[in-house]
Structure formats: structure tokens, C-alpha cells
Amino acid sequence: MDHKPRVAIIGAGLTGLIAIKQCLAADLQPVCFEQSDHTGGLWRYTDVSSQNQNPHSSVYRSTIINTSKEHMPFSDFPIPDDWPTYLPHYKVSEYGDLYADNFNLWPHIRFETTVLNASMIPETKKWKIVFKKKEGGKEEEEFDYVMVCTGHHSSPRLPNYQGMETFPGKQMHSHFYREAFAYTGKRVVVVGVGNSGMDISVELSHIASQVYVVSRRGTLPWILPRRTLFGRPFDHLNSRFQGMLPRFITNWLVRQIVSLTIGLPPEHLRSQHPFSAAHPTMKSDFLERLSTGTIEVKPDILALTTDGSVTFVDNTIVDNIDAIIYCTGYNNEVHFVDKEVVNGGNIVRKNFEEGEYRENITWLYKFMFPPRWNNIAFLGFVQPVGALMPLCELQARYVTALIKGEIPPLPSPEEMDKHIMAYHDRNRKQFYEAARHTMEIELRPYCDSIAKEIGCYPTLTKVLWKFGFEIWKLVLFGVPTPMHVSVFLKKIVDNVWAVADKGILLMAFAFSVSIVGT
């Protein structure tokens, strides 16, 4: 290929950084547009201020990532050994800066440059990017390909409760929450029991006079501990061997491990769905605060009133509420492209009933490609149970291989539609129907499928033949790190294999305790 294709990368978060790196590795010309003056994206803490009333980042000061450092790095750049197991937000963004330093990505990023519009030119099939620098007017450039790396946490989704317009207390989406001190001595309602709802309610429960947590389904999600028996991180048990087990066994094992560590919620609040049918939450101290009464779980809201009280669907009422924080997720929108590029348009309206599931669908083949728009890919527009960064690395490698013609071209739009519809049919059978599950995937099968198509999937047979039995054991039973076959692996073999041994012991112990208990 004589002409080096120009690739517009929108967003310089960790996904954007890996996209730049993979473009350079594929001998492409990446140009990354970043609206802020820094990398890090979602993970770079940004204050809400009069100068920046709607920052891209939604992390609050206490945010900590839910995946262990062994599980989340890019395959060729390990997280430093002396860093904590679960990284605070500032360490995640620092990791991105170290990555950019190591691979010299900075020259390819245009900071303080906001993309206003991206549209395909029908005649040439190229993309016109209209952008604005901090100082200056609108400009535009043409690119052969676009990689959207902005994520899907920038357009807050709010519920529609009776009385919201006249309620006298403070109301805000969790996207704008930063610190707890403003709620000292306040009575607060937190709507939602996902990761943000759990985090914020626990933090507020130490400083507010009372916190009420609204579960719109009336029950709590599966709450997982960060560390299990023997002090091992929970996701260290998520080995390839575990992934081969039938779902009912995995569901049963998780139940036993949770019961033996943090315990299950009160019976009336326990999830009515098995572990594999819903996105879990990692906040073990929520149950501790619940047991002290500083947090009280309520069903969905019926109405808000002008006197500052809140009525719930079970007809209970709480009075004198000072603030309501809506931890109700995000709309899957990208403001600089037509909505139908991401959301499917007529084909979705024809095949799905009106409701929150339809409203939040992303109609993307392999969670990357809109069937009727050429030469554009969306990276990170997916919700895995596990680390997103390694997944985005594989997506970036897939896109660059596609641009270079190293893998077969995408199928017809009609064929892509069939694949997307088949996913949603399977998805709605496995997960309960909710807006948060429209992009839900099982991490390992998805990554394996991408790796196979681009030719980097190491089968267990190949691993055994090339690296020997010790590495084979590690890949099958050990920590699911993206660096299983990297040079760095040789430095951590002993440590990770010890974890794998204890992971197997944990499963055996949970099984034996359950047998005795029954």
C-alpha cells in the first residue's frame, strides 16, 4: 500500500492511546483529537466548575477501578509491580501517560481540539472531520478512516419521576458528583445500585445523616468482594479453566465464594437472577453500611413532592430530603455523528419494542462497525464483566488489520444486521432486559473471537508446544493477564502460579463447604 491511510482518532483516553499505538505499528498515519489538555479521558479527575460545567470525566475523588492491575494492562506494557492491586483513578491516568511516554505517542495528539462533526463524503467514502481548536475558528480535514474512542459515559441518562420539576431539594446525576463533604448532615436519596450508586451511597453514609438507596427493581445486584479467601483478588479466580465451566457451575461457585467472604444481602434484597444474568457490583462495604442502618434500601420512586418528601412505590414516604443523586447510567450517544450511525435507526425501531432497552441499543457489528457507514469504528462501546483496556487493544488491532487488508473485509450490511440481531436475541435470554445490558458481553469469549480473526489467538496446544507445561498451566489456571505469553511473564510466573494454585483450592473449598452445608 503506497499511500499511508490517514486515521482520525477521536479521544485520547486509554482507548485512544492504544489506537494511536496500533496505527503506528501498522504504518498508518494517526491524528488524535483531544478536547482537553491532557490524556486519561474518563479516568482523569476533573472538577465541575463555572468554566467547565460538563466535564467529560465522571470520576469522583474516591473512584477506584474494579479490576486488578494484573487483569487490566495492555499486553506489551505491564503496570509497575509496586503499584496497588486496585488502582485509584489517578494511577489509571498515570498509567496512560507512562504508556504514551514509552511509545512516543504525544506528537500524534492535538490537544484542546474539539471535534464538532464527523460525516462521510459519499463520493470518496472518506470522512470529513470538522473541529475547533481552543483559540481559533472551525477547520476541517479529510481522513481515510475514523476510530471513535470517546467511550459511552458522557451523556447522562435521567429517569422521569412525577414532581421532579418542583422538588425543592438538590437533584443531580452522578456524572457531576465529586466529593461527599457538601452533604454533611444531609438526608440523601441515591437512585441506582450499580457501581456508582454503591460507591456514592457508601461514601455519603459516613457523613450524611441518612442515605436511602433506591433499587428500581426492588433487589440488589450481585455484590462481589475485591478480595476473596486467602486475600486473593476476586478476578484472579476468573481463569480460562473457569471460563470452560457451564454457567450453572460458575453461578453456584460465585454464590459459595460470596457467602464465605462478605455474605449475601438480606433475603428480601437478594438478586432474583443468577450471577451470569446480570452485571455485578464490587462494593463489599455496602453490606456493612446496610447492616448499620446508615444506608436503607427502598423500592422505586413513585413521586417527589414540593415539601421535600419522596414517596416510593410501596407507599412508604421519607421526609425532608435535601438531595437526590441519580446514578442511572448514560445514553449511548456520540454528539458529533448522526444518531443513527450508532443506534441503528429504522431497523431498531422495527424490531424492538419501545422502552429503555431499545433507547440504549448500539447497532454495531462486533461492537465496532455500523453496518451502513464505511471506514468508521467505535472502540470501547461495550460493557464487559472485566477489564476494558485489553479488549480495546484487540479491537484496535482488528481495525488496523482491516485497514491494511490483512484480514477479510467486513460482510454486507445485511449480514452484519443478522449478526447484531442474533447477539441481542442471545443477550436478552441470558441477561435480564435493562438499559445497562444492551452492550453486555462475556469478556473472554469476545476477546478470543477477535484474537482468532486477526491470527494472534494462542491455543492451549500451541502454548504447550511453544512454552512448555508450566506456561500452559498458567494460561489455563492462572490469572487472566493480557501478558500470558510476553517476556514480562517470566518475571511473574512463580507469583501467578501460586495464585492459580490457591484459586483451585478456593473452588474446591467452596464446593466442600457447600456439600457439608446441604
Side-chain angles (χ1 to χ4, degrees), residues 46 70 87 99 128 165 191 223 269 303-304 314 318 390 394 437 493 507:
T46 308
E70 293 82 10
L87 304 184
Y99 188 82
K128 181 173 70 174
E165 299 83 3
V191 181
I223 301 174
L269 294 176
L304 312 180
D314 63 355
V318 294
L394 283 168
H437 289 147
V493 166
M507 292 185 183

Side-chain angles (χ1 to χ4, degrees), residues 371-386:
R372 286 159 186 83
W373 280 266
N374 299 325
N375 301 347
I376 185 170
F378 295 79
L379 275 61
F381 280 69
V382 64
Q383 182 69 56
V385 180

Side-chain angles (χ1 to χ4, degrees), residues 156-161 163-164 167 170-176 189-192 196-197 200 301 304 324-329:
R157 184 174 63 248
L158 289 168
N160 184 22
Y161 292 132
M164 287 178 69
F167 180 75
K170 181 177 182 178
Q171 297 181 79
M172 64 183 291
H173 192 276
S174 60
H175 181 78
F176 304 99
V189 171
V190 177
V191 181
S196 295
I200 292 171
I301 292 174
L304 312 180
I324 301 176
I325 301 175
Y326 296 104
C327 304
T328 47

Side-chain angles (χ1 to χ4, degrees), residues 457-489:
Y457 175 72
T459 65
L460 289 171
T461 303
K462 289 179 180 177
V463 171
L464 180 62
W465 179 260
K466 187 171 182 179
F467 296 99
F469 184 63
E470 288 300 312
I471 302 299
W472 177 88
K473 286 193 299 182
L474 224 102
V475 171
L476 183 58
F477 297 109
V479 180
T481 173
M483 296 167 288
H484 264 144
V485 292
S486 71
V487 175
F488 173 70
L489 179 66

Side-chain angles (χ1 to χ4, degrees), residues 20 55 67 72-73 88 102 140 142 156 183 204 211 222 238 268 302 315 334-335 354 427 451:
I20 299 170
T67 51
M72 61 165 279
N102 189 72
E140 61 182 57
E142 291 185 11
Y183 301 90
L204 291 177
V211 177
W222 280 92
N238 188 25
H268 70 286
L302 180 64
N315 292 318
V334 180
H335 66 87
E354 187 175 351
N427 184 61

Side-chain angles (χ1 to χ4, degrees), residues 97-258:
D97 287 344
L98 293 174
Y99 188 82
D101 288 340
N102 189 72
F103 293 105
N104 194 28
L105 306 182
W106 302 106
H108 306 280
I109 305 173
R110 298 182 186 177
F111 289 107
E112 297 184 321
T113 305
T114 301
V115 172
L116 303 175
N117 183 261
S119 58
M120 191 174 69
I121 304 169
E123 297 77 19
T124 63
K125 303 300 181 185
K126 291 187 176 184
W127 282 81
K128 181 173 70 174
I129 304 296
V130 179
F131 57 92
K132 185 180 184 300
K133 297 178 181 178
K134 185 178 180 180
E135 304 294 338
K138 293 182 182 179
E139 300 181 46
E140 61 182 57
E141 292 183 21
E142 291 185 11
F143 291 87
D144 300 286
Y145 215 99
V146 176
M147 297 168 75
V148 179
C149 302
T150 56
H152 53 90
H153 292 96
S154 58
S155 178
R157 184 174 63 248
L158 289 168
N160 184 22
Y161 292 132
Q162 179 183 336
M164 287 178 69
E165 299 83 3
T166 56
F167 180 75
K170 181 177 182 178
Q171 297 181 79
M172 64 183 291
H173 192 276
S174 60
H175 181 78
F176 304 99
Y177 174 86
R178 291 297 181 267
E179 294 177 308
F181 73 89
Y183 301 90
T184 301
K186 305 293 186 182
R187 291 168 57 80
V188 185
V189 171
V190 177
V191 181
V193 290
N195 287 313
S196 295
M198 292 276 182
D199 278 351
I200 292 171
S201 61
V202 168
E203 183 168 86
L204 291 177
S205 72
H206 292 277
I207 199 168
S209 65
Q210 183 61 52
V211 177
Y212 299 95
V213 175
V214 173
S215 170
R216 289 176 289 174
R217 294 183 177 273
T219 57
L220 296 174
W222 280 92
I223 301 174
L224 306 180
R226 278 201 165 90
R227 291 189 177 273
T228 60
L229 299 174
F230 306 107
R232 294 300 177 183
F234 189 91
D235 61 11
H236 282 200
L237 305 181
N238 188 25
S239 66
R240 185 163 291 277
F241 172 77
Q242 178 273 324
M244 296 176 178
L245 299 175
R247 281 200 190 107
F248 77 91
I249 293 180
T250 298
N251 291 335
W252 176 84
L253 281 169
V254 169
R255 185 183 182 90
Q256 308 314 312
I257 292 170
V258 171

